Amino acid sequence: MEGGKPTLALVYQAVQALYHDPDPAGKERASVWLGELQRSMYAWEISDQLLQLKQDVESCYFAAQTMKMKIQTSFYELPAETHIALRDSLLSHIQNLKDLSPIIVTQLALAIADLALQMASWKGCVHTLIEKYNNDISSMTFLIEILTVLPEEVHSRSLRIGANRRTEIIEDLAYYSSTVVTLLTTCVEKTGNDEKMLIKVFRCLGSWFNLGVLDSNFMASNQLLMVLFQVLQRDETSTNLHEAASDCVCSALYAIENVDTNMALALQLFQGVLTLETAYHMAVAREDLDKVLNYCRIFTELCETFLETTVRSPGQGMGDLRTLELLLICAGHPQYEVVEISFNFWYRLGEHLYKTNDPALHSIFRPYIQRLLHGLARHCQLDPDHEGIPEDTDDFGEFRMRVSDLVKDVIFLVGSMECFSQLYSTLKDGNPPWEVTEAVLFIMAAIAKSVDPENNPTLTEVLEQVVLLPETVHMAVRYTSIELVGEMSEVVDRNPRFLDPVLNYLMKGLREKPLASVAAKAIHNICSVCRDHMAQHFQGLLDIARALDSFALSTEAAVGLLKGTALVLARLPLEKIAECLSDLCAVQVMALKKLLAQDPSNGKTADPTVWLDRLAVIFRHTNPIVENGQTHPCQKVIQEIWPVLSETLNTHQADNRIVERCCRCLRFAVRCVGKGSASLLQPLVTQMVSVYQVYPHSCFLYLGSILVDEYGMEDGCRQGLLDMLQALCMPTFQLLEQPNGLRNHPDTVDDLFRLATRFVQRSPVTLLSSSIIVHIIQCAIAATTLDHRDANCSVMKFVRDLIHTGVSNDHEDDFEVRKQLIGQAMEQHGQQLVTQLMHTCCFCLPPYTLPDVAEVLWEIMVFDRPTFCRWLENALKGLPKETSGGAVTVTHKQLTDFHKQVTSAEECKQVCWAVREFTRLFR
């Protein structure tokens, strides 16, 4: 912090401004200044003084939060000899401030817990805290708060205490767990029905259950379990207490997931939950939705815990099927939010039964799934007074989408065909109100694709009836019937006689504003599945495409229609494709020309992205089958369109969004005609490079990678492509070398290494012999630390593929040259790369990236195992062996074991496993 340590008065002023300044700019300034203070060394002393002075809630909250943050992120700043003083000071603050505000107590409790986890010299912290405070009832609130957050913080992402220390702590907490439970029991006995205290006790107990350290036999006979169920059975229990008790029971059920090893506790919980059915009905009668939701959570957690038992021995012991009855009772509740809680369980049950594939077992569970589906269909009904189409973006719309997914997952138990027929017969035989009809059609649409379309009279009958629906039926019924038709495109493909009536029905929808988008989506589906039959209707599709903007379509639906049209276009005879493609593109090209001809109004030019996206989708999906030697039918059209795209790119070169859309369009154009785009190569590369010097949009690097992929194997193009790479690299390196350049521009990192990787794959010797390769490798080593999924993946893939070229395809002429060039590169950068990778995976990267790191280490080892062994040994020597709190991070044995596991590995996945285990020591 500039200007040395600030005075307490100044800090007070800033805190006051943060909370009370009426001017938002003043609040912002105070926030930035206090943020700087929190990052500085002065923060320790200042927060301690603020807590000592206890001037007001705001300054104490700021100080407590700062303490917690410093201990979490900057504990290494304190010398070891100050740790005890810090602990004593925090304990004295929490005692002095216990009545000021609960949020301050929580922040200080977190600070104490995080300190205890990092401070190796504080042995048996639970024991010392209980000894110190358990006789003083007024200290109970903060003691229980510390004991609640302590187990929660053990797996906190903010603390890198490492697996060794974490194991030590968990063993320690397990050892003292019964002491904690006894303390909580005594506390309940002493305070009787004090609701606030009961809530704290349940939260604390839940926290210890979540860590999985409670002795299940001890808990099975414990008084607290009885208290929990008594609270949940009582009708007069308040909402807050009910929620705390429910959370605690759910944690307990989750903790005994392995039922066989926790038999006694499992039985107590199982029997306890089954007693709550009456209480559930009482909550329904009182219309207390909060309690109903809590009971449903408990019933669902019960079913999840005993899932394997239920499937293994249905109806026997704890495989009692009353558990499923409880969930079906919840499914009968009128509010859809209740049944939604149980979805994950039903999905898992379906998955289990699908894997066991035992018809006898399926028949036991089938009636339950049938009743569930019946309930779900009812929940999907819109309100009878609903007007217009079903909304799919509100909460209820999202619920219906989740129902659709769940139905698809469990339908095999009931049989798609049987269910489809039953649903259809309810419409055919009865005359249900519109909202029932719509919900039935909705469920039919969810399962239509899983019904076998081969000569199936029910499916054809449904299709026949749906397309005859009059326009007078409710708009929502028409909407969902159109969705159903779109899902039945396989049936249309097998029964082409329906194509005309289906298309007529969908065209009616397309002309009506509320139905236009869903009809467009259905036409897109029909085009995708019935490409050959649709060829005769191409003119009709072309007419729709020309008049696209006269229909009230969403952007997505319009693009979908063009995609369908392009898919059908690709099935026309080759000689017709060029002319039809030209017609299809003409509307978009005319629109782009018109925009280019306009004078910019008040300095802004009109946005061309709609037209660029439409052209992109046409190029992307027009993929006719072209024999060798035949000219690609799309080549001429793309050459004619290029000048318009080039001019659009120039006009909007400063706008990243529009440039990205231009590049996307060009990418699909190049992909569409492949080598047929050769005439564009020179002008396109020239334009890309010149714009990139001024506006380094990363999409140019991506487009470059497409060009390398298409042309990198052509001898005549290699030097030109290398020149392009070098020209693009210069501004890229300047951008990435700025402070935080890598972190601020992950897209550029991603696209740069995608381009470099394409070069390695298509023309490795060209790249490896160039002067630019050293800079690219250096940049890659620096970028391995970047915690960004796509960027990191690109960097690792580049390094892996680069080293792999030194061992792959050893039968090819250039193998010796490649091997030698990779050898030189590794000699120069190998040690630095291995050291950086080890540091990166221990301290910078999340676990999901480790398989990529392991693949790089494996390739280095395959290339030169003896040298790699030496590099790895040196890298491991440089890792820290202790945490700043004095705990052992990694033992000598763990280092040598890891070295041996990696260097003796016979396949990459062994390296991956070893790296995953080893890095846990530093997390």
Side-chain angles (χ1 to χ4, degrees):
M1 215 170 172
E2 286 176 30
K5 180 181 159 188
T7 61
L8 282 183
L10 191 58
V11 178
Y12 268 125
Q13 213 179 323
V15 172
Q16 287 305 307
L18 180 67
Y19 287 101
H20 303 293
D21 193 328
D23 173 20
K27 270 186 173 4
E28 181 56 33
R29 277 197 303 278
S31 173
V32 171
W33 188 84
L34 289 168
E36 265 182 55
L37 170 64
Q38 284 183 319
R39 285 188 293 278
S40 75
M41 277 293 286
Y42 305 122
W44 295 102
E45 194 183 340
I46 284 173
S47 358
D48 191 47
Q49 289 171 338
L50 289 174
L51 291 166
Q52 201 93 42
L53 290 167
K54 196 178 169 179
Q55 190 147 344
D56 54 22
V57 171
E58 283 117 346
S59 62
C60 286
Y61 176 70
F62 168 74
Q65 191 205 27
T66 303
M67 266 301 182
K68 180 202 73 178
M69 211 180 87
K70 293 299 281 183
I71 290 171
Q72 279 184 347
T73 58
S74 313
F75 189 55
Y76 60 86
E77 291 176 355
L78 293 182
E81 59 272 17
T82 60
H83 294 173
I84 292 174
L86 174 63
R87 176 191 68 190
D88 296 346
S89 165
L90 286 172
L91 289 172
S92 110
H93 291 320
I94 201 166
Q95 186 149 23
N96 295 336
L97 298 165
K98 62 177 182 285
D99 302 321
L100 188 59
S101 154
I103 57 170
I104 293 173
V105 171
T106 300
Q107 293 297 313
L108 287 172
L110 283 164
I112 292 163
D114 291 341
L115 175 66
L117 296 176
Q118 295 181 90
M119 185 174 156
S121 59
W122 186 0
K123 305 282 183 208
C125 65
V126 171
H127 183 64
T128 45
L129 289 168
I130 292 178
E131 283 230 309
K132 187 167 175 148
Y133 299 113
N134 77 333
N135 293 322
D136 172 17
I137 197 77
S138 70
S139 302
M140 245 344 138
T141 49
F142 71 79
L143 173 60
I144 292 181
E145 188 65 31
I146 298 171
L147 292 174
T148 303
V149 296
L150 185 63
E152 290 170 351
E153 289 296 285
V154 170
H155 292 292
S156 160
R157 288 278 173 89
S158 327
L159 297 178
R160 301 188 75 103
I161 54 178
N164 288 334
R165 174 70 179 149
R166 200 169 277 114
T167 307
E168 185 188 337
I169 289 160
I170 291 172
E171 285 169 3
D172 198 45
L173 294 183
Y175 183 76
Y176 290 112
S177 61
S178 45
T179 319
V180 173
V181 176
T182 309
L183 171 83
L184 297 177
T185 314
T186 317
C187 192
V188 171
E189 285 164 2
K190 279 187 191 167
T191 55
N193 286 338
D194 173 359
E195 183 182 306
K196 279 188 174 165
M197 187 50 86
L198 266 181
I199 290 175
K200 282 186 170 300
V201 166
F202 291 160
R203 267 196 58 221
C204 185
L205 183 61
S207 173
W208 285 75
F209 267 127
N210 286 336
L211 189 62
V213 292
L214 294 181
D215 179 311
S216 64
N217 290 330
F218 176 72
M219 285 312 300
S221 55
N222 190 273
Q223 187 67 28
L224 281 179
L225 217 52
M226 276 168 55
V227 179
L228 263 178
F229 284 112
Q230 281 164 2
V231 165
L232 289 168
Q233 284 156 358
R234 272 207 307 271
D235 184 34
E236 61 277 12
T237 298
S238 73
T239 307
N240 290 346
L241 181 57
H242 198 275
E243 184 169 4
S246 302
D247 288 345
C248 188
V249 171
C250 288
S251 297
L253 284 163
Y254 186 74
I256 57 153
E257 194 90 66
N258 191 346
V259 175
D260 300 338
T261 56
N262 297 295
M263 230 23 162
L265 181 56
L267 191 59
Q268 290 298 320
L269 290 168
F270 187 83
Q271 290 169 341
V273 175
L274 288 181
T275 64
L276 300 178
E277 186 182 338
T278 319
Y280 168 82
H281 289 301
M282 198 66 192
V284 174
R286 293 202 187 280
E287 296 189 357
D288 189 336
L289 185 60
D290 288 333
K291 285 188 182 175
V292 167
L293 291 168
N294 286 335
Y295 289 124
C296 188
R297 281 196 300 133
I298 293 172
F299 298 156
T300 303
E301 202 61 66
L302 177 78
C303 288
E304 296 248 16
T305 294
F306 291 98
L307 172 62
E308 295 198 7
T309 317
T310 313
V311 173
R312 202 170 51 222
S313 51
Q316 295 161 28
M318 287 188 272
D320 193 327
L321 295 172
R322 275 184 301 168
T323 54
L324 298 190
E325 288 291 347
L326 288 175
L327 284 196
L328 289 172
I329 292 170
C330 292
H333 191 278
Q335 299 278 7
Y336 70 83
E337 293 90 342
V338 180
V339 69
E340 192 169 16
I341 290 172
S342 64
F343 277 15
N344 189 52
F345 164 74
W346 292 112
Y347 165 73
R348 280 186 60 204
L349 176 67
E351 201 177 31
H352 257 70
L353 292 170
Y354 188 76
K355 282 178 184 162
T356 41
N357 195 13
D358 171 356
L361 199 57
H362 288 192
S363 65
I364 295 173
F365 289 96
R366 183 170 296 124
Y368 293 94
I369 299 295
Q370 278 168 328
R371 283 163 60 195
L372 173 70
L373 292 175
H374 189 78
L376 291 175
R378 200 179 59 255
H379 279 297
C380 284
Q381 290 173 20
L382 298 161
D383 285 334
D385 55 0
H386 177 95
E387 290 180 5
I389 62 170
E391 284 295 327
D392 53 2
T393 50
D394 61 2
D395 288 346
F396 184 56
E398 285 182 12
F399 166 74
R400 291 192 2 146
M401 291 319 297
R402 290 194 66 195
V403 168
S404 175
D405 291 340
L406 178 61
V407 169
K408 289 182 174 101
D409 285 330
V410 297
I411 194 65
F412 72 92
L413 279 163
V414 182
S416 314
M417 188 57 227
E418 192 182 328
C419 185
F420 196 83
S421 304
Q422 277 175 357
L423 289 166
Y424 177 50
S425 62
T426 60
L427 300 183
K428 189 174 154 189
D429 305 337
N431 185 18
W434 76 263
E435 68 276 12
V436 175
T437 303
E438 192 279 335
V440 168
L441 290 172
F442 177 76
I443 301 287
M444 286 170 75
I447 57 178
K449 275 193 173 139
S450 60
V451 181
D452 182 11
E454 278 302 332
N455 37 22
N456 191 325
T458 312
L459 286 176
T460 50
E461 190 183 330
V462 168
L463 205 50
E464 251 170 331
Q465 292 305 310
V466 168
V467 299
L468 294 175
L469 275 176
E471 289 177 37
T472 50
V473 299
H474 192 288
M475 187 62 83
V477 174
R478 291 182 62 201
Y479 180 93
T480 306
S481 71
I482 289 172
E483 278 195 311
L484 174 60
V485 170
E487 291 297 306
M488 293 179 73
S489 43
E490 293 278 355
V491 184
V492 180
D493 193 40
R494 309 288 160 96
N495 302 277
R497 65 179 190 282
F498 286 120
L499 196 55
D500 285 358
V502 161
L503 288 174
N504 289 338
Y505 182 66
L506 296 178
M507 278 308 297
K508 276 184 203 159
L510 194 63
R511 292 192 189 94
E512 284 184 56
K513 189 177 177 182
L515 301 174
S517 290
V518 72
K521 191 178 168 194
I523 293 172
H524 165 206
N525 276 357
I526 301 276
C527 289
S528 304
V529 175
C530 317
R531 289 168 75 171
D532 294 325
H533 298 306
M534 282 297 292
Q536 55 182 320
H537 291 279
F538 183 76
Q539 195 52 49
L541 289 171
L542 194 56
D543 294 342
I544 295 173
R546 283 184 178 138
L548 209 49
D549 291 310
S550 65
F551 305 109
L553 295 173
S554 68
T555 314
E556 189 189 359
V559 165
L561 253 179
L562 288 173
K563 175 183 170 182
T565 309
L567 288 169
V568 175
L569 166 65
R571 291 296 164 95
L572 297 180
L574 275 188
E575 63 277 5
K576 285 195 172 169
I577 289 179
E579 184 193 341
C580 292
L581 177 65
S582 191
D583 287 349
L584 187 56
C585 295
V587 180
Q588 343 304 326
V589 174
M590 287 310 295
L592 285 173
K593 283 181 174 168
K594 197 171 158 193
L595 290 183
L596 289 168
Q598 279 174 11
D599 281 332
S601 54
N602 43 3
K604 290 193 85 173
T605 42
D607 187 348
T609 51
V610 170
W611 313 105
L612 292 169
D613 287 351
R614 290 181 184 180
L615 278 176
V617 79
I618 295 169
F619 294 145
R620 184 177 190 173
H621 297 285
T622 306
N623 42 17
I625 297 156
V626 182
E627 303 292 330
N628 268 346
Q630 286 179 311
T631 304
H632 198 290
C634 306
Q635 195 174 316
K636 181 166 163 287
V637 182
I638 285 169
Q639 279 167 348
E640 286 165 4
I641 293 175
W642 158 248
V644 182
L645 292 177
S646 173
E647 199 182 332
T648 303
L649 180 56
N650 252 349
T651 306
H652 298 279
Q653 57 181 290
D655 186 325
N656 183 53
R657 191 176 63 91
I658 297 174
V659 171
E660 211 161 58
R661 299 309 231 293
C662 278
C663 285
R664 190 168 169 274
C665 190
L666 287 162
R667 159 192 161 193
F668 289 123
V670 170
R671 286 290 195 211
C672 173
V673 292
K675 304 279 185 295
S677 59
S679 61
L680 303 185
L681 197 55
Q682 190 65 47
L684 175 54
V685 168
T686 306
Q687 187 173 3
M688 278 163 57
V689 168
S690 85
V691 175
Y692 193 78
Q693 305 299 320
V694 190
Y695 301 107
H697 303 298
S698 74
C699 51
F700 286 127
L701 300 171
Y702 188 96
L703 187 54
S705 73
I706 302 293
L707 297 175
V708 171
D709 197 37
E710 291 290 342
Y711 293 98
M713 312 276 275
E714 307 286 306
D715 284 339
C717 301
R718 282 175 174 165
Q719 189 54 47
L721 290 170
L722 181 65
D723 293 345
M724 170 193 81
L725 173 69
Q726 288 176 319
L728 293 173
C729 273
M730 287 312 147
T732 306
F733 292 151
Q734 279 169 5
L735 188 69
L736 299 179
E737 280 161 10
Q738 291 169 0
N740 289 328
L742 293 165
R743 195 174 323 144
N744 295 342
H745 303 285
D747 293 350
T748 301
V749 175
D750 182 13
D751 293 330
L752 170 69
F753 287 102
R754 199 184 290 265
L755 168 58
T757 304
R758 287 283 193 226
F759 235 112
V760 166
Q761 292 164 344
R762 293 284 172 259
S763 184
V765 176
T766 312
L767 179 62
L768 286 163
S769 319
S770 70
S771 57
I772 196 81
I773 186 65
V774 178
H775 304 287
I776 295 177
I777 293 174
Q778 289 277 289
C779 183
I781 292 174
T784 54
T785 57
L786 191 58
D787 175 8
H788 181 281
R789 192 181 284 262
D790 295 338
N792 197 281
C793 188
S794 272
V795 173
M796 295 299 175
K797 185 169 170 41
F798 163 71
V799 180
R800 186 189 69 212
D801 286 8
L802 182 76
I803 299 163
H804 189 66
T805 48
V807 289
S808 63
N809 301 331
D810 51 7
H811 57 280
E812 289 177 5
D813 298 342
D814 63 355
F815 174 67
E816 286 305 325
V817 181
R818 275 187 282 130
K819 187 176 168 184
Q820 186 194 347
L821 289 167
I822 293 293
Q824 287 167 3
M826 291 310 288
E827 206 174 310
Q828 207 175 345
H829 307 285
Q831 178 69 71
Q832 189 194 356
L833 174 61
V834 174
T835 303
Q836 179 81 322
L837 285 174
M838 284 317 301
H839 180 272
T840 292
C841 60
C842 289
F843 300 108
C844 308
L845 297 183
Y848 69 77
T849 58
L850 297 182
D852 295 341
V853 177
E855 286 188 7
V856 176
L857 293 171
W858 171 253
E859 287 298 341
I860 301 172
M861 188 159 72
V862 170
F863 183 74
D864 182 351
R865 199 175 284 246
T867 312
F868 172 74
C869 291
R870 200 172 65 246
W871 286 338
L872 183 60
E873 188 181 337
N874 292 339
L876 294 177
K877 279 178 186 163
L879 291 173
K881 314 295 184 282
E882 262 192 15
T883 65
S884 46
V888 173
T889 307
V890 59
T891 62
H892 181 68
K893 183 176 185 315
Q894 285 170 325
L895 286 169
T896 50
D897 285 353
F898 172 67
H899 187 275
K900 189 176 173 188
Q901 284 164 350
V902 173
T903 53
S904 62
E906 292 183 1
E907 50 182 348
C908 183
K909 74 169 179 245
Q910 292 168 314
V911 176
C912 182
W913 181 84
V915 168
R916 204 183 285 278
E917 284 304 301
F918 182 71
T919 53
R920 284 181 58 232
L921 299 171
F922 297 87
R923 284 186 200 290

